Amino acid sequence: MGAHISAPLVYDGIILCPAILTPELVLKWKSAVEARYCDVDIARRNCGAATITAIAGTRERFVPTASSFTIGALSPEGDVSELLDSVSFGISGRWVKNILGWRLLCNLDQSWVRRQYAPSRYPPLHAPHGWHQDGALKFDFQSDPDGEFPRNATLNMVTCWIALDSCGLEAPGLELITERLGGLLSPTALRTEFLQTRFASKRFWRPTLQPGDALLFRGDILHRTHVIPEMTKDRTSIELRFFSAVSIPQRLQADRFIPFG
Ligand SMILES: [Fe+2]
């Protein structure tokens, strides 16, 4: 087990904040999440992975390839506002406001409960997340075949990734590249071999997190699931997406937003 950080770790565009959730909140959310994944396991046995989407309800989604629920699928057990209160308090809140301003929104359609399994236990269709930038959400990469995307194609946003389990060593965590890009990389440039030639090895960061720790990062930060065959435990996490209330991106206008902060 790695040493548990006690103070924030900061890179340009990334901050790792220890213990932003109290142990009580971690337990509460873990139990609500567990109940939902039990529903998924039953549905997988009874109807097969392809039809599981039906159990999340009409507006909420379950994505079998990522074993992820939109966060509203936990309601009424999950009250997102208590998570948002925890994030907006202290250094994590100041960090987000410094980037997005004081009028913050959480996008409920882009906020998820995720589970990454130990490689020996992958359910049907499940896969880890490959390299990507969250700021590319809903971007049409076909819009420019040459890959010269406008700088404003990258959403001005912050992802808040909260671990509910210890992760990064025995359970899958995240790997990030600690260098801001500003713009978007084309999907064809997101191969590990390419990224290893573009970025120095010291830029590849695989933090270990304890339950309740949070990683916050800007939309242009490259990241993926960190998973290796030796991992034996599963990891559950909550992923919230934040935007500025004064500049909701055009391509997310139809999503549900709630204010906080
Ligand atoms: Fe992501």
Side-chain angles (χ1 to χ4, degrees), residues 68-105:
S68 302
F69 286 107
T70 44
I71 199 150
L74 296 184
S75 297
E77 297 93 340
D79 179 358
V80 180
S81 63
E82 65 190 12
L83 295 179
L84 298 176
D85 286 346
S86 299
V87 176
S88 61
F89 180 78
I91 193 162
S92 53
R94 288 198 295 278
W95 191 85
V96 174
K97 286 168 186 157
N98 196 36
I99 293 167
L100 297 175
W102 286 82
R103 294 180 56 205
L104 297 172
L105 298 175

Side-chain angles (χ1 to χ4, degrees), residues 18-64:
I20 70 157
L21 294 192
T22 62
E24 293 75 23
L25 267 186
V26 170
L27 275 179
K28 176 183 170 183
W29 278 83
K30 272 180 72 104
S31 109
V33 166
E34 199 55 47
R36 242 25 206 131
Y37 279 101
C38 282
D39 295 340
V40 170
D41 289 341
I42 291 167
R44 274 183 169 129
R45 281 196 296 273
N46 292 343
C47 4
T51 53
I52 291 176
T53 47
I55 74 170
T58 49
R59 185 74 203 233
E60 308 302 335
R61 288 170 288 154
F62 176 75
V63 179

Side-chain angles (χ1 to χ4, degrees), residues 132 134 223 239 241:
H132 66 282
D134 287 358
H223 59 286
E239 191 169 312
R241 262 69 179 266

Side-chain angles (χ1 to χ4, degrees), residues 65-66 114-117 122 126-132 161 171-176 192 205-206 222-228 231 235 237 239:
T65 49
R114 301 198 187 277
R115 179 161 286 177
Q116 279 293 335
Y117 293 85
Y122 279 14
H126 179 86
H129 290 274
W131 289 109
H132 66 282
W161 194 95
L174 284 187
E175 180 171 24
L176 306 97
T192 301
W205 184 40
R206 298 168 172 178
L222 283 158
H223 59 286
R224 68 170 175 174
T225 303
H226 168 51
V227 60
I228 54 175
M231 289 175 169
R235 169 268 289 169
S237 54
E239 191 169 312

